mmCIF file of all heavy atoms in Angstrom:
data_model
loop_
_atom_site.group_PDB
_atom_site.id
_atom_site.type_symbol
_atom_site.label_atom_id
_atom_site.label_comp_id
_atom_site.label_asym_id
_atom_site.label_seq_id
_atom_site.Cartn_x
_atom_site.Cartn_y
_atom_site.Cartn_z
ATOM 1 N N LEU A 9 0.849 -4.258 8.471
ATOM 2 C CA LEU A 9 0.488 -5.522 7.810
ATOM 3 C C LEU A 9 0.208 -5.270 6.330
ATOM 4 O O LEU A 9 -0.302 -4.212 5.953
ATOM 5 C CB LEU A 9 -0.742 -6.141 8.470
ATOM 6 C CG LEU A 9 -0.616 -6.504 9.953
ATOM 7 C CD1 LEU A 9 -1.904 -7.155 10.459
ATOM 8 C CD2 LEU A 9 0.575 -7.425 10.202
ATOM 9 N N ASP A 10 0.513 -6.240 5.531
ATOM 10 C CA ASP A 10 0.289 -6.142 4.090
ATOM 11 C C ASP A 10 -1.115 -6.661 3.770
ATOM 12 O O ASP A 10 -1.284 -7.811 3.362
ATOM 13 C CB ASP A 10 1.369 -6.966 3.379
ATOM 14 C CG ASP A 10 1.266 -6.791 1.858
ATOM 15 O OD1 ASP A 10 0.680 -5.792 1.403
ATOM 16 O OD2 ASP A 10 1.777 -7.676 1.145
ATOM 17 N N TYR A 42 -9.327 -1.809 8.051
ATOM 18 C CA TYR A 42 -10.306 -2.907 8.023
ATOM 19 C C TYR A 42 -10.802 -3.204 6.598
ATOM 20 O O TYR A 42 -11.472 -4.216 6.374
ATOM 21 C CB TYR A 42 -11.522 -2.556 8.887
ATOM 22 C CG TYR A 42 -11.460 -3.038 10.320
ATOM 23 C CD1 TYR A 42 -11.146 -2.176 11.363
ATOM 24 C CD2 TYR A 42 -11.753 -4.370 10.635
ATOM 25 C CE1 TYR A 42 -11.122 -2.608 12.684
ATOM 26 C CE2 TYR A 42 -11.731 -4.804 11.952
ATOM 27 C CZ TYR A 42 -11.413 -3.929 12.979
ATOM 28 O OH TYR A 42 -11.393 -4.373 14.286
ATOM 29 N N LYS A 48 -15.734 -7.668 7.999
ATOM 30 C CA LYS A 48 -15.113 -7.233 9.255
ATOM 31 C C LYS A 48 -15.269 -5.722 9.438
ATOM 32 O O LYS A 48 -15.526 -5.238 10.548
ATOM 33 C CB LYS A 48 -13.630 -7.613 9.288
ATOM 34 C CG LYS A 48 -13.425 -9.123 9.370
ATOM 35 C CD LYS A 48 -11.959 -9.523 9.495
ATOM 36 C CE LYS A 48 -11.816 -11.041 9.357
ATOM 37 N NZ LYS A 48 -12.669 -11.843 10.258
ATOM 38 N N GLU A 58 -22.830 2.095 17.236
ATOM 39 C CA GLU A 58 -23.775 1.800 18.311
ATOM 40 C C GLU A 58 -23.245 2.312 19.641
ATOM 41 O O GLU A 58 -23.971 2.916 20.436
ATOM 42 C CB GLU A 58 -24.020 0.285 18.364
ATOM 43 C CG GLU A 58 -24.940 -0.168 19.470
ATOM 44 C CD GLU A 58 -26.312 0.507 19.458
ATOM 45 O OE1 GLU A 58 -26.851 0.744 18.359
ATOM 46 O OE2 GLU A 58 -26.825 0.838 20.552
ATOM 47 N N LEU A 131 -11.289 -1.290 35.281
ATOM 48 C CA LEU A 131 -11.649 -2.338 34.308
ATOM 49 C C LEU A 131 -10.473 -2.644 33.382
ATOM 50 O O LEU A 131 -10.267 -3.789 32.979
ATOM 51 C CB LEU A 131 -12.805 -1.867 33.440
ATOM 52 C CG LEU A 131 -14.198 -2.367 33.725
ATOM 53 C CD1 LEU A 131 -15.120 -1.965 32.584
ATOM 54 C CD2 LEU A 131 -14.269 -3.872 33.933
ATOM 55 N N THR A 132 -9.734 -1.602 33.039
ATOM 56 C CA THR A 132 -8.628 -1.773 32.107
ATOM 57 C C THR A 132 -7.463 -2.487 32.774
ATOM 58 O O THR A 132 -6.863 -3.397 32.203
ATOM 59 C CB THR A 132 -8.187 -0.392 31.583
ATOM 60 O OG1 THR A 132 -9.300 0.192 30.911
ATOM 61 C CG2 THR A 132 -7.004 -0.496 30.629
ATOM 62 N N SER A 135 -9.565 -6.107 35.694
ATOM 63 C CA SER A 135 -11.012 -6.295 35.600
ATOM 64 C C SER A 135 -11.514 -7.372 36.554
ATOM 65 O O SER A 135 -12.653 -7.306 37.012
ATOM 66 C CB SER A 135 -11.409 -6.618 34.158
ATOM 67 O OG SER A 135 -10.676 -7.718 33.652
ATOM 68 N N ARG A 143 -19.855 -1.168 41.483
ATOM 69 C CA ARG A 143 -21.120 -0.793 40.813
ATOM 70 C C ARG A 143 -21.928 0.140 41.713
ATOM 71 O O ARG A 143 -22.521 1.108 41.238
ATOM 72 C CB ARG A 143 -21.916 -2.047 40.444
ATOM 73 C CG ARG A 143 -21.319 -2.814 39.259
ATOM 74 C CD ARG A 143 -22.141 -4.043 38.862
ATOM 75 N NE ARG A 143 -22.058 -5.112 39.844
ATOM 76 C CZ ARG A 143 -21.168 -6.113 39.808
ATOM 77 N NH1 ARG A 143 -20.263 -6.209 38.833
ATOM 78 N NH2 ARG A 143 -21.149 -7.048 40.760
ATOM 79 N N ASP A 153 -28.193 1.466 35.903
ATOM 80 C CA ASP A 153 -27.582 0.203 35.484
ATOM 81 C C ASP A 153 -27.291 0.209 33.982
ATOM 82 O O ASP A 153 -26.282 -0.355 33.542
ATOM 83 C CB ASP A 153 -28.478 -0.980 35.869
ATOM 84 C CG ASP A 153 -28.280 -1.370 37.335
ATOM 85 O OD1 ASP A 153 -27.881 -0.499 38.141
ATOM 86 O OD2 ASP A 153 -28.510 -2.537 37.684
ATOM 87 N N ARG A 154 -28.144 0.850 33.238
ATOM 88 C CA ARG A 154 -27.895 0.960 31.798
ATOM 89 C C ARG A 154 -26.634 1.801 31.556
ATOM 90 O O ARG A 154 -25.812 1.464 30.695
ATOM 91 C CB ARG A 154 -29.110 1.608 31.112
ATOM 92 C CG ARG A 154 -28.882 2.086 29.686
ATOM 93 C CD ARG A 154 -28.539 0.961 28.706
ATOM 94 N NE ARG A 154 -27.906 1.517 27.518
ATOM 95 C CZ ARG A 154 -28.565 1.968 26.465
ATOM 96 N NH1 ARG A 154 -29.886 1.876 26.415
ATOM 97 N NH2 ARG A 154 -27.905 2.494 25.453
ATOM 98 N N SER A 161 -19.047 -0.992 28.338
ATOM 99 C CA SER A 161 -18.961 -1.301 26.906
ATOM 100 C C SER A 161 -17.914 -0.438 26.212
ATOM 101 O O SER A 161 -17.155 -0.928 25.372
ATOM 102 C CB SER A 161 -20.308 -1.045 26.223
ATOM 103 O OG SER A 161 -21.277 -1.933 26.687
ATOM 104 N N GLY A 164 -14.510 -1.440 27.493
ATOM 105 C CA GLY A 164 -14.169 -2.733 26.905
ATOM 106 C C GLY A 164 -13.789 -2.602 25.440
ATOM 107 O O GLY A 164 -12.786 -3.173 24.993
ATOM 108 N N ASN A 167 -10.370 -1.313 24.980
ATOM 109 C CA ASN A 167 -9.404 -2.358 25.294
ATOM 110 C C ASN A 167 -9.232 -3.327 24.128
ATOM 111 O O ASN A 167 -8.174 -3.959 23.997
ATOM 112 C CB ASN A 167 -9.804 -3.097 26.572
ATOM 113 C CG ASN A 167 -9.228 -2.409 27.803
ATOM 114 O OD1 ASN A 167 -8.026 -2.452 28.020
ATOM 115 N ND2 ASN A 167 -10.082 -1.743 28.573
ATOM 116 N N MET A 168 -10.253 -3.462 23.303
ATOM 117 C CA MET A 168 -10.111 -4.243 22.071
ATOM 118 C C MET A 168 -9.344 -3.463 21.008
ATOM 119 O O MET A 168 -8.328 -3.934 20.492
ATOM 120 C CB MET A 168 -11.483 -4.646 21.532
ATOM 121 C CG MET A 168 -11.404 -5.382 20.194
ATOM 122 S SD MET A 168 -13.024 -5.952 19.581
ATOM 123 C CE MET A 168 -13.785 -4.375 19.142
ATOM 124 N N ARG A 171 -5.636 -2.815 21.367
ATOM 125 C CA ARG A 171 -4.803 -3.980 21.063
ATOM 126 C C ARG A 171 -4.710 -4.240 19.557
ATOM 127 O O ARG A 171 -3.660 -4.641 19.058
ATOM 128 C CB ARG A 171 -5.335 -5.195 21.823
ATOM 129 C CG ARG A 171 -4.982 -5.075 23.312
ATOM 130 C CD ARG A 171 -5.629 -6.102 24.192
ATOM 131 N NE ARG A 171 -5.102 -5.998 25.562
ATOM 132 C CZ ARG A 171 -5.585 -5.151 26.484
ATOM 133 N NH1 ARG A 171 -6.617 -4.368 26.207
ATOM 134 N NH2 ARG A 171 -5.030 -5.108 27.684
ATOM 135 N N SER A 174 -2.190 -1.574 18.379
ATOM 136 C CA SER A 174 -0.806 -1.848 18.767
ATOM 137 C C SER A 174 -0.280 -3.101 18.065
ATOM 138 O O SER A 174 0.897 -3.160 17.688
ATOM 139 C CB SER A 174 -0.697 -2.018 20.283
ATOM 140 O OG SER A 174 -0.943 -0.778 20.932
ATOM 141 N N ALA A 175 -1.133 -4.081 17.878
ATOM 142 C CA ALA A 175 -0.695 -5.325 17.230
ATOM 143 C C ALA A 175 -0.309 -5.088 15.783
ATOM 144 O O ALA A 175 0.555 -5.789 15.237
ATOM 145 C CB ALA A 175 -1.805 -6.379 17.306
ATOM 146 N N LEU B 9 -26.699 -6.544 36.842
ATOM 147 C CA LEU B 9 -27.391 -5.310 36.473
ATOM 148 C C LEU B 9 -28.871 -5.596 36.242
ATOM 149 O O LEU B 9 -29.241 -6.675 35.759
ATOM 150 C CB LEU B 9 -26.785 -4.698 35.211
ATOM 151 C CG LEU B 9 -25.310 -4.300 35.294
ATOM 152 C CD1 LEU B 9 -24.851 -3.667 33.977
ATOM 153 C CD2 LEU B 9 -25.041 -3.362 36.463
ATOM 154 N N ASP B 10 -29.686 -4.622 36.558
ATOM 155 C CA ASP B 10 -31.133 -4.768 36.372
ATOM 156 C C ASP B 10 -31.489 -4.281 34.962
ATOM 157 O O ASP B 10 -31.911 -3.155 34.776
ATOM 158 C CB ASP B 10 -31.841 -3.925 37.451
ATOM 159 C CG ASP B 10 -33.350 -4.122 37.385
ATOM 160 O OD1 ASP B 10 -33.805 -5.151 36.833
ATOM 161 O OD2 ASP B 10 -34.074 -3.232 37.881
ATOM 162 N N TYR B 42 -27.336 -9.240 26.728
ATOM 163 C CA TYR B 42 -27.424 -8.173 25.725
ATOM 164 C C TYR B 42 -28.862 -7.925 25.259
ATOM 165 O O TYR B 42 -29.119 -6.919 24.587
ATOM 166 C CB TYR B 42 -26.594 -8.527 24.496
ATOM 167 C CG TYR B 42 -25.173 -8.006 24.498
ATOM 168 C CD1 TYR B 42 -24.107 -8.846 24.812
ATOM 169 C CD2 TYR B 42 -24.882 -6.689 24.156
ATOM 170 C CE1 TYR B 42 -22.789 -8.385 24.794
ATOM 171 C CE2 TYR B 42 -23.576 -6.217 24.124
ATOM 172 C CZ TYR B 42 -22.534 -7.063 24.442
ATOM 173 O OH TYR B 42 -21.239 -6.593 24.417
ATOM 174 N N LYS B 48 -27.711 -3.522 20.209
ATOM 175 C CA LYS B 48 -26.432 -3.916 20.800
ATOM 176 C C LYS B 48 -26.209 -5.425 20.673
ATOM 177 O O LYS B 48 -25.096 -5.886 20.396
ATOM 178 C CB LYS B 48 -26.374 -3.494 22.276
ATOM 179 C CG LYS B 48 -26.317 -1.976 22.443
ATOM 180 C CD LYS B 48 -26.121 -1.546 23.891
ATOM 181 C CE LYS B 48 -26.323 -0.030 24.027
ATOM 182 N NZ LYS B 48 -25.464 0.784 23.143
ATOM 183 N N GLU B 58 -18.442 -13.233 13.084
ATOM 184 C CA GLU B 58 -17.405 -12.952 12.089
ATOM 185 C C GLU B 58 -16.036 -13.415 12.598
ATOM 186 O O GLU B 58 -15.255 -14.019 11.868
ATOM 187 C CB GLU B 58 -17.391 -11.433 11.802
ATOM 188 C CG GLU B 58 -16.321 -10.981 10.855
ATOM 189 C CD GLU B 58 -16.360 -11.673 9.503
ATOM 190 O OE1 GLU B 58 -17.484 -11.952 9.005
ATOM 191 O OE2 GLU B 58 -15.278 -11.982 8.950
ATOM 192 N N LEU B 131 -0.166 -9.203 24.019
ATOM 193 C CA LEU B 131 -1.178 -8.192 23.673
ATOM 194 C C LEU B 131 -2.076 -7.891 24.863
ATOM 195 O O LEU B 131 -2.501 -6.757 25.073
ATOM 196 C CB LEU B 131 -2.065 -8.706 22.543
ATOM 197 C CG LEU B 131 -1.826 -8.228 21.133
ATOM 198 C CD1 LEU B 131 -2.975 -8.684 20.249
ATOM 199 C CD2 LEU B 131 -1.654 -6.720 21.025
ATOM 200 N N THR B 132 -2.375 -8.913 25.621
ATOM 201 C CA THR B 132 -3.273 -8.741 26.760
ATOM 202 C C THR B 132 -2.594 -7.984 27.886
ATOM 203 O O THR B 132 -3.177 -7.087 28.488
ATOM 204 C CB THR B 132 -3.753 -10.129 27.244
ATOM 205 O OG1 THR B 132 -4.445 -10.749 26.155
ATOM 206 C CG2 THR B 132 -4.678 -10.018 28.447
ATOM 207 N N SER B 135 0.186 -4.359 25.639
ATOM 208 C CA SER B 135 0.050 -4.210 24.190
ATOM 209 C C SER B 135 0.959 -3.122 23.639
ATOM 210 O O SER B 135 1.394 -3.204 22.484
ATOM 211 C CB SER B 135 -1.412 -3.932 23.827
ATOM 212 O OG SER B 135 -1.924 -2.822 24.536
ATOM 213 N N ARG B 143 5.797 -9.377 15.294
ATOM 214 C CA ARG B 143 5.099 -9.803 14.057
ATOM 215 C C ARG B 143 5.995 -10.729 13.240
ATOM 216 O O ARG B 143 5.534 -11.720 12.686
ATOM 217 C CB ARG B 143 4.688 -8.568 13.250
ATOM 218 C CG ARG B 143 3.506 -7.804 13.873
ATOM 219 C CD ARG B 143 3.059 -6.619 13.034
ATOM 220 N NE ARG B 143 3.999 -5.517 13.067
ATOM 221 C CZ ARG B 143 3.977 -4.508 13.952
ATOM 222 N NH1 ARG B 143 3.019 -4.434 14.865
ATOM 223 N NH2 ARG B 143 4.892 -3.557 13.908
ATOM 224 N N ASP B 153 0.053 -12.329 7.162
ATOM 225 C CA ASP B 153 -0.371 -11.060 7.764
ATOM 226 C C ASP B 153 -1.864 -11.086 8.085
ATOM 227 O O ASP B 153 -2.303 -10.521 9.099
ATOM 228 C CB ASP B 153 -0.042 -9.883 6.823
ATOM 229 C CG ASP B 153 1.422 -9.455 6.987
ATOM 230 O OD1 ASP B 153 2.247 -10.290 7.394
ATOM 231 O OD2 ASP B 153 1.735 -8.276 6.723
ATOM 232 N N ARG B 154 -2.632 -11.764 7.277
ATOM 233 C CA ARG B 154 -4.055 -11.909 7.581
ATOM 234 C C ARG B 154 -4.255 -12.712 8.868
ATOM 235 O O ARG B 154 -5.097 -12.388 9.707
ATOM 236 C CB ARG B 154 -4.766 -12.582 6.397
ATOM 237 C CG ARG B 154 -6.164 -13.089 6.653
ATOM 238 C CD ARG B 154 -7.162 -11.972 7.012
ATOM 239 N NE ARG B 154 -8.307 -12.544 7.691
ATOM 240 C CZ ARG B 154 -9.384 -13.045 7.066
ATOM 241 N NH1 ARG B 154 -9.478 -12.964 5.753
ATOM 242 N NH2 ARG B 154 -10.367 -13.588 7.761
ATOM 243 N N TRP B 157 -3.619 -10.513 11.798
ATOM 244 C CA TRP B 157 -4.822 -9.713 12.051
ATOM 245 C C TRP B 157 -5.845 -10.515 12.859
ATOM 246 O O TRP B 157 -6.423 -10.017 13.830
ATOM 247 C CB TRP B 157 -5.442 -9.250 10.723
ATOM 248 C CG TRP B 157 -6.668 -8.418 10.894
ATOM 249 C CD1 TRP B 157 -7.948 -8.867 11.102
ATOM 250 C CD2 TRP B 157 -6.751 -6.987 10.901
ATOM 251 N NE1 TRP B 157 -8.809 -7.804 11.227
ATOM 252 C CE2 TRP B 157 -8.103 -6.646 11.105
ATOM 253 C CE3 TRP B 157 -5.805 -5.970 10.746
ATOM 254 C CZ2 TRP B 157 -8.542 -5.315 11.166
ATOM 255 C CZ3 TRP B 157 -6.238 -4.654 10.804
ATOM 256 C CH2 TRP B 157 -7.591 -4.326 11.011
ATOM 257 N N GLY B 164 -8.050 -9.312 21.013
ATOM 258 C CA GLY B 164 -8.654 -8.022 21.336
ATOM 259 C C GLY B 164 -10.104 -8.177 21.765
ATOM 260 O O GLY B 164 -10.538 -7.596 22.777
ATOM 261 N N ASN B 167 -10.453 -9.405 25.223
ATOM 262 C CA ASN B 167 -10.128 -8.334 26.166
ATOM 263 C C ASN B 167 -11.303 -7.380 26.351
ATOM 264 O O ASN B 167 -11.420 -6.739 27.405
ATOM 265 C CB ASN B 167 -8.866 -7.578 25.712
ATOM 266 C CG ASN B 167 -7.606 -8.214 26.262
ATOM 267 O OD1 ASN B 167 -7.358 -8.139 27.454
ATOM 268 N ND2 ASN B 167 -6.847 -8.878 25.400
ATOM 269 N N MET B 168 -12.165 -7.298 25.336
ATOM 270 C CA MET B 168 -13.401 -6.528 25.503
ATOM 271 C C MET B 168 -14.431 -7.318 26.322
ATOM 272 O O MET B 168 -14.934 -6.832 27.335
ATOM 273 C CB MET B 168 -13.995 -6.166 24.143
ATOM 274 C CG MET B 168 -15.353 -5.451 24.246
ATOM 275 S SD MET B 168 -16.002 -4.934 22.627
ATOM 276 C CE MET B 168 -16.415 -6.532 21.905
ATOM 277 N N ARG B 171 -13.956 -7.871 30.034
ATOM 278 C CA ARG B 171 -14.259 -6.693 30.850
ATOM 279 C C ARG B 171 -15.767 -6.470 30.975
ATOM 280 O O ARG B 171 -16.253 -6.046 32.032
ATOM 281 C CB ARG B 171 -13.528 -5.485 30.269
ATOM 282 C CG ARG B 171 -12.038 -5.559 30.580
ATOM 283 C CD ARG B 171 -11.200 -4.530 29.899
ATOM 284 N NE ARG B 171 -9.818 -4.602 30.371
ATOM 285 C CZ ARG B 171 -8.885 -5.442 29.899
ATOM 286 N NH1 ARG B 171 -9.178 -6.257 28.907
ATOM 287 N NH2 ARG B 171 -7.676 -5.449 30.421
ATOM 288 N N MET B 172 -16.534 -6.750 29.903
ATOM 289 C CA MET B 172 -17.989 -6.662 30.017
ATOM 290 C C MET B 172 -18.489 -7.651 31.062
ATOM 291 O O MET B 172 -19.337 -7.325 31.892
ATOM 292 C CB MET B 172 -18.659 -6.993 28.668
ATOM 293 C CG MET B 172 -18.608 -5.914 27.640
ATOM 294 S SD MET B 172 -19.292 -4.355 28.252
ATOM 295 C CE MET B 172 -21.021 -4.821 28.493
ATOM 296 N N SER B 174 -16.830 -9.106 33.585
ATOM 297 C CA SER B 174 -16.413 -8.791 34.953
ATOM 298 C C SER B 174 -17.120 -7.547 35.475
ATOM 299 O O SER B 174 -17.469 -7.474 36.654
ATOM 300 C CB SER B 174 -14.891 -8.585 35.022
ATOM 301 O OG SER B 174 -14.235 -9.822 34.771
ATOM 302 N N ALA B 175 -17.349 -6.576 34.608
ATOM 303 C CA ALA B 175 -18.011 -5.344 35.041
ATOM 304 C C ALA B 175 -19.443 -5.602 35.473
ATOM 305 O O ALA B 175 -19.976 -4.896 36.335
ATOM 306 C CB ALA B 175 -17.994 -4.308 33.917
#
Side-chain angles (χ1 to χ4, degrees):
Chain A
L9 299 182
D10 185 21
Y42 267 102
K48 292 184 189 307
E58 178 56 37
L131 258 190
T132 299
S135 54
R143 287 182 290 268
D153 278 26
R154 166 63 199 273
S161 294
N167 272 290
M168 176 177 70
R171 286 171 173 85
S174 292
Chain B
L9 299 182
D10 185 21
Y42 267 102
K48 292 186 190 304
E58 177 57 36
L131 259 190
T132 300
S135 54
R143 287 183 288 270
D153 277 26
R154 167 63 200 274
W157 180 277
N167 271 290
M168 176 176 70
R171 286 172 174 84
M172 283 305 295
S174 292

